[in-house]
Amino acid sequence: MNALAQTRRVNHGRHIQDRHKSAARMLGFALAADCPDTWQDFATVMTKRLTLRERGTVTLMMAETLPDDELRTVLHAGQRGAGFPPVPFGDVLEEAALWASSASDEERQAYLFAAFKGLGASGRRDFLDYASREVRQ
């Protein structure tokens, strides 16, 4: 740019709508507090103050900042399923049943298939025997 050319500053702040200002303030509050309740409040404010298109655009732009493995983790968490099965501390079957009761069909099938593939030959036979008895009942 020519040193003699006059530069014009644009005051973007005067073009920001009040609903955008409140959404931006809430983001600041959520980042500062960094607690589940405040993040839930942030989601509520975003829903009330931003359009679906605006929320979608913000989400896509934030997703682009994440490495692929982190993006997969975030997207998995956002699917509103049960997430990863918990590490069992008590009765393994009881904890598995609890997880399965809140998991989506897709999650249950994925973990079932992965677990089945991880079994040895005798474990697979035992599972198939058990499953065939359950189907007949």
Side-chain angles (χ1 to χ4, degrees), residues 57-68 71:
T57 302
V58 169
T59 301
L60 287 174
M61 292 302 100
M62 290 298 96
E64 285 187 7
T65 69
L66 297 173
D68 287 347
L71 179 59

Side-chain angles (χ1 to χ4, degrees), residues 3 18 27 32 45 47 54 56-58 67 69 77-79 89-90 99 103 105 109 111 114-115 123 128 136:
D18 286 342
L27 173 60
V45 169
T47 301
E54 290 167 337
T57 302
V58 169
D69 58 332
Q79 288 179 340
F89 290 111
W99 174 84
D105 284 345
Q109 287 179 353
Y111 282 101
L128 291 173
R136 285 180 279 203

Side-chain angles (χ1 to χ4, degrees), residues 13-120:
R14 71 178 178 183
H15 299 291
I16 299 174
Q17 297 176 25
D18 286 342
R19 64 188 184 85
H20 294 144
K21 290 177 185 177
S22 67
R25 270 193 307 276
M26 190 62 215
L27 173 60
F29 295 147
L31 289 167
D34 194 23
C35 72
D37 288 343
T38 308
W39 282 112
Q40 188 57 54
D41 292 343
F42 167 75
T44 300
V45 169
M46 294 302 113
T47 301
K48 293 184 182 298
R49 298 290 186 211
L50 300 181
T51 66
L52 183 59
R53 182 177 185 275
E54 290 167 337
R55 292 191 320 268
T57 302
V58 169
T59 301
L60 287 174
M61 292 302 100
M62 290 298 96
E64 285 187 7
T65 69
L66 297 173
D68 287 347
D69 58 332
E70 288 295 318
L71 179 59
R72 275 191 287 283
T73 301
V74 168
L75 291 176
H76 180 77
Q79 288 179 340
R80 296 180 178 94
F84 298 113
V87 176
F89 290 111
D91 183 292
V92 176
L93 285 175
E94 185 178 308
E95 293 201 31
L98 181 63
W99 174 84
S101 69
S102 61
S104 67
D105 284 345
E106 186 176 83
E107 288 173 314
R108 284 189 292 268
Q109 287 179 353
Y111 282 101
L112 172 66
F113 294 149
F116 183 79
K117 285 175 64 175
L119 291 173

